[in-house]
Amino acid sequence: MLGRLLREQQNPACVEHYQADYAIRERIGDTAGLAVTASNLGNAYLFVPGLRDLDQAQHWHQRA
């Protein structure tokens, strides 16, 4: 939730929270959650001005 709130505020710190969430979901084998988190990371890299990186956005959206 914190990652989403930070992304909505266009705060680049959202990536740290999404990456932590991704790592946890990967450890527990939550494939549906991994897809959601990967999509959120892709959106962060696409829409947050301080992060804007189209290659990273594509990478995460393909993982989703």
Side-chain angles (χ1 to χ4, degrees):
M1 293 280 298
L2 183 55
R4 183 177 60 87
L5 292 172
L6 291 170
R7 189 187 76 209
E8 289 173 359
Q9 295 172 1
Q10 297 189 341
N11 185 333
C14 65
V15 167
E16 296 170 34
H17 296 281
Y18 283 139
Q19 288 175 337
D21 182 55
Y22 191 88
I24 291 168
R25 291 179 186 278
E26 196 168 41
R27 266 186 272 149
I28 64 172
D30 180 7
T31 55
L34 282 170
V36 171
T37 303
S39 180
N40 286 332
L41 274 161
N43 287 335
Y45 281 110
L46 191 59
F47 297 115
V48 176
L51 292 173
R52 190 159 172 89
D53 182 334
L54 298 179
D55 290 331
Q56 282 294 320
Q58 180 181 13
H59 166 80
W60 286 106
H61 278 124
Q62 286 177 338
R63 285 189 134 184

